[in-house]
Amino acid sequence: MTGKNYILGIDTSCDDTSFALFDVATEHVISNVISSQTEVHAPHGGIVPELASRAHLENISLVFHEALNKADATLFDIKAIAVTNTPGLIGCLLVGTSFARSLAYRLCVPLYAVNHLEGHLFSPFIEKKTEFPFLGLVVSGGHTAFYRVMGLDEITVVGQTVDDAAGEAFDKCAKMLGLGYPGGPVIDRLAKSGNNKAFAYTKVKVKRGEQYLSFSGLKTAAYLHLQNLEENISEKQKLDFCASFQHAVVESICDRLQFLLDQYDYKSFAMSGGVAMNSLLRKRVQEVCAARQVPCVIAAPAYCADNGAMIAHVAHLKKPEDQLMSLETLATKKKTMSA
Ligand code: KG4
Ligand code: ZN
């Protein structure tokens, strides 16, 4: 036994292989290693599930050992393992969960299954105290939803997209311009030098209610704007196009944020997910919250994209009865092994 008490967090739900070590004693992340598969998927303009699972298989041991090395830790410092078990690409999830199960069994440590969205939702509070109730926004390539969070076991969806996720809209818009994958970071960079009023977008209203978002209309409008342009779009028009589209997406999210903050007495607003890295969105949500005097907590850039730290962090917040492979099961195993 070592004196260290680390939780190993694993996420292989999509196109990033990530392992992290979270120190229970200091409530700090000791290492968080992310191996991105961008180069594998970029030539295809999007994620190819079969290639993603194979890349996880190739990388998983390397990433695990790098997380241990960076933390100057050994196998025996791991006192619990947390792994994303849903939602995600099934082949990718299987690589991570199989690895986690085997390691938990080998080390005789408890195993936690963590929902990937819970990981994102609580990631603004890694290394910060969580105060309930908070309004959470997970905005990524696969999800865009607002949650009322009263506690770890009391999470309600209070608003969401009825079609595409915001990240998906960024990626598709970038694809129309031939900007490559993933499109969000490129649009963010180019938009900084563009005029956000150059291309008009009408505000999207979803009949179902003011808490709902829709990005498919913005995407169609972007397509039509491009059709109306001359065949050779100038560099200046590209910058303006990115700035106008980004502005429309961000304002659409901020309209819902204002509406939802006025519905309930939240202690804070917490934003997470890959799109939470968008510079304009980060600035605008802070302005919206400041106007209502609601504290705004945004996940640190290292914890916005998919990462193992957010998975270990949720396991740290969970109760012992949430363990998938409990210490009791493992104690039985120990007895059988020594018999
Ligand atoms: O959370 P994430 O890594 O994976 C999912 O769980 O989906 O999010 C990836 C998404 C991609 O769609 C990517 O284009 C978007 O996050 N993204 C951004 C930015 N950085 C990443 N979107 C807008 N601005 C950014 N700076
Ligand atoms: Zn994610």
Side-chain angles (χ1 to χ4, degrees):
M1 287 291 271
T2 74
K4 292 177 186 165
N5 183 0
Y6 293 168
I7 301 176
L8 176 71
I10 308 174
D11 188 275
T12 62
S13 59
C14 193
D15 60 340
D16 292 306
T17 315
S18 182
F19 279 73
L21 285 168
F22 183 92
D23 185 356
V24 173
T26 62
E27 300 195 306
H28 271 71
V29 177
I30 309 294
S31 65
N32 185 38
V33 179
I34 304 171
S35 165
S36 163
Q37 300 177 3
T38 305
E39 280 172 22
V40 176
H41 303 290
H44 306 278
I47 297 164
V48 183
E50 180 61 21
L51 295 181
S53 353
R54 283 167 191 258
H56 284 306
L57 264 179
E58 277 168 26
N59 291 334
I60 198 154
S61 291
L62 286 173
V63 182
F64 170 50
H65 285 288
E66 201 178 324
L68 282 178
N69 289 342
K70 283 214 162 142
D72 199 16
T74 73
L75 278 178
F76 303 102
D77 296 327
I78 300 170
K79 301 294 168 18
I81 297 175
V83 62
T84 300
N85 73 330
T86 194
L89 299 169
I90 188 67
C92 299
L93 290 168
L94 272 171
V95 177
T97 51
S98 309
F99 187 95
R101 269 180 178 276
S102 319
L103 191 63
Y105 201 69
R106 165 69 185 85
L107 297 177
C108 283
V109 296
L111 178 68
Y112 291 88
V114 174
N115 181 297
H116 182 77
L117 294 173
E118 271 179 35
H120 276 305
L121 193 55
F122 286 88
S123 64
F125 300 103
I126 296 177
E127 298 171 356
K128 273 196 199 98
K129 198 172 154 29
T130 322
E131 282 203 60
F132 300 108
F134 70 85
L135 176 66
L137 167 63
V138 177
V139 59
S140 69
H143 301 90
T144 301
F146 288 94
Y147 302 86
R148 179 183 300 155
V149 187
M150 312 296 286
L152 196 60
D153 298 323
E154 227 185 311
I155 303 170
T156 317
V157 178
V158 289
Q160 61 184 320
T161 177
V162 292
D163 40 56
D164 291 355
E168 203 178 345
F170 273 117
D171 293 339
K172 285 180 181 164
C173 183
K175 201 171 179 180
M176 287 179 211
L177 275 184
L179 296 176
Y181 176 86
V186 192
I187 293 189
D188 190 354
R189 183 167 47 79
L190 298 183
K192 288 194 170 78
S193 324
N195 169 11
N196 66 18
K197 294 189 181 64
F199 295 90
Y201 288 89
T202 39
K203 281 207 171 192
V204 182
K205 287 218 164 193
V206 180
K207 275 196 198 138
R208 224 186 280 177
E210 282 189 60
Q211 69 273 42
Y212 290 99
L213 290 140
S214 165
F215 295 110
S216 70
L218 293 181
K219 207 178 54 193
T220 311
Y223 177 75
L224 294 175
H225 281 314
L226 277 184
Q227 296 276 304
N228 291 335
L229 286 175
E230 302 283 311
E231 218 161 74
N232 284 325
I233 172 168
S234 72
E235 285 310 305
K236 166 87 177 75
Q237 280 171 325
K238 266 191 192 172
L239 301 178
D240 292 347
F241 184 85
C242 290
S244 304
F245 182 77
Q246 175 177 268
H247 178 258
V249 171
V250 168
E251 286 314 308
S252 180
I253 294 173
C254 286
D255 281 352
R256 273 55 175 193
L257 172 60
Q258 288 176 18
F259 172 77
L260 289 166
L261 284 177
D262 293 339
Q263 304 297 305
Y264 201 84
D265 198 10
Y266 291 106
K267 289 249 167 63
S268 62
F269 166 68
M271 182 169 77
S272 55
V275 182
M277 272 192 276
N278 184 270
S279 51
L280 180 66
L281 184 62
R282 289 177 92 89
K283 178 170 165 274
R284 285 289 297 123
V285 295
Q286 289 185 51
E287 288 168 0
V288 169
C289 289
R292 281 164 177 73
Q293 290 171 333
V294 176
C296 178
V297 199
I298 306 177
Y303 306 136
C304 279
D306 294 347
N307 65 89
M310 68 183 191
I311 304 304
H313 174 241
V314 168
H316 175 58
L317 300 175
K318 283 183 184 259
K319 300 184 220 67
E321 54 265 37
D322 295 326
Q323 290 163 7
L324 199 68
M325 231 154 89
S326 68
L327 285 173
E328 285 76 36
T329 328
L330 294 161
T332 325
K333 179 204 147 199
K334 266 186 193 162
K335 263 191 226 152
T336 333
M337 282 175 78
S338 53

